[in-house]
Amino acid sequence: MAKKAVKDMSFMDHLEDLRRVLVRSTAAVIVMGTITYFFADYIFDQLIFGPTNPSFITYRFFCEASHYIGFADSICITELNFKIINTEMEGQVNIFVWICITGGFILAFPYILWQLWGFVSPALYEKEKKNAKLFISISSILFFLGVLFGYYVIVPMSINFLATFSISKIVENTFTIESYVSMVKTAVIASGLFFELPIIIYFLTKLGIVTPLFLRTYRKYAIVIVLIIAAIVTPPDVVSQITVAIPMLLIYEASIFISASVVRNKLKNEKSS
């Protein structure tokens, strides 16, 4: 029934459905972004600028870990010698608005997923439609885990590396608020979306675009890319690089497992029919 209904829809009908999804998703982001407005002081002082403090939880964790494994204070962070300045008249206003929008997007993400599921569900079978709650729950959890990973791992490691890197003692690190907040936003959102890789692979495999063989064949390239990313965003020590690389590699391996499961189920259904 669902398949036939989709076939009966015109291209304009699909566009109208997509428009409704985009409008509702945008409205949800605006509503949740408005809510973040009332917590602006906490968001900026404790969250956005939290990783600029040497007592940030991530720095303390790595310091304690270095003592535990016998590295003494080799990866302890005692100071982050840099300043954040505003150089544009409307700079802080723009940053305030974009942080509210970013916060709204993060908080509204489960609703956005629900809207997207409603858009693609008519093309799915009844059995697949029943998995809506499972899909939204797993996707949301993965996204929020990615956001936390980006905030507590990628952001502080990037700040530590960029704040301590210097080509000469003559140069003083003074970052604009735009570049700092942009780095934080990019790391958090990109990490959250990267953790959605298993879900993306699930649908790409169902569409026949990606196969487990393809993912396994290019695994070695994925490992190299992940290690390069880990080396870029972390200080030059093995512990930090492993901390960043392992979760990303696990996500890739989980994607291979999911892709293989989809192919097995597809073959099983073809045999039974």
Side-chain angles (χ1 to χ4, degrees):
M1 294 294 292
K3 294 286 184 179
K4 184 176 179 181
V6 172
K7 290 181 180 180
D8 291 339
M9 293 177 65
S10 67
F11 177 71
M12 295 305 297
D13 290 332
H14 287 296
L15 283 182
E16 179 61 23
D17 284 347
L18 180 59
R19 185 190 68 82
R20 281 195 288 265
V21 168
L22 294 176
V23 169
R24 291 169 182 169
S25 299
T26 302
V29 171
I30 292 174
V31 170
M32 300 309 291
T34 302
I35 293 176
T36 63
Y37 166 82
F38 297 100
F39 301 92
D41 290 341
Y42 175 80
I43 290 173
F44 279 98
D45 294 338
Q46 302 299 323
L47 297 181
I48 301 298
F49 297 118
T52 64
N53 191 330
S55 64
F56 188 66
I57 185 173
T58 303
Y59 304 137
R60 287 189 279 113
F61 170 80
F62 277 104
C63 188
E64 292 175 3
S66 68
H67 291 158
Y68 180 78
I69 60 180
F71 285 1
D73 294 332
S74 60
I75 57 176
C76 287
I77 298 170
T78 57
E79 66 173 343
L80 294 168
N81 191 22
F82 69 95
K83 295 180 181 179
I84 299 176
I85 62 172
N86 176 48
T87 60
E88 301 292 336
M89 182 70 73
E90 70 282 5
Q92 296 193 57
V93 175
N94 291 337
I95 292 299
F96 183 87
V97 172
W98 277 109
I99 286 299
C100 287
I101 293 174
T102 303
F105 173 77
I106 293 173
L107 295 176
F109 192 77
Y111 179 80
I112 295 173
L113 287 176
W114 182 57
Q115 288 295 315
L116 291 174
W117 181 268
F119 178 70
V120 302
S121 62
L124 302 175
Y125 294 105
E126 290 300 323
K127 182 179 179 180
E128 295 172 323
K129 291 181 183 180
K130 295 178 181 178
N131 295 327
K133 292 182 179 179
L134 181 63
F135 164 78
I136 294 172
S137 299
I138 294 177
S139 298
S140 299
I141 290 172
L142 286 173
F143 178 76
F144 290 132
L145 286 175
V147 167
L148 292 174
F149 178 74
Y151 178 72
Y152 284 106
V153 179
I154 302 295
V155 169
M157 292 298 97
S158 299
I159 290 175
N160 177 47
F161 173 73
L162 296 173
T164 56
F165 181 82
S166 177
I167 57 175
S168 172
K169 294 181 179 180
I170 298 176
V171 182
E172 181 181 2
N173 281 330
T174 302
F175 308 130
T176 66
I177 188 172
E178 290 87 354
S179 64
Y180 175 82
V181 172
S182 176
M183 185 273 296
V184 174
K185 286 192 307 178
T186 301
V188 169
I189 297 299
S191 181
L193 295 178
F194 178 79
F195 271 56
E196 292 293 298
L197 183 62
I199 304 299
I200 296 172
I201 292 298
Y202 171 82
F203 283 104
L204 291 178
T205 303
K206 288 188 71 67
L207 294 173
I209 298 176
V210 172
T211 64
L213 178 61
F214 174 84
L215 295 174
R216 292 190 184 102
T217 301
Y218 288 92
R219 177 193 276 129
K220 55 186 177 182
Y221 300 107
I223 293 174
V224 171
I225 293 173
V226 167
L227 292 176
I228 291 174
I229 294 174
I232 291 174
V233 302
T234 61
D237 65 81
V238 177
V239 176
S240 300
Q241 292 172 7
I242 291 176
T243 302
V244 172
I246 287 180
M248 298 176 73
L249 292 174
L250 288 177
I251 288 293
Y252 189 84
E253 292 299 323
S255 300
I256 296 177
F257 175 79
I258 289 173
S259 180
S261 298
V262 171
V263 171
R264 282 197 301 268
N265 290 334
K266 185 177 180 180
L267 293 175
K268 188 184 298 182
N269 292 334
E270 289 177 353
K271 289 180 181 179
S272 60
S273 60

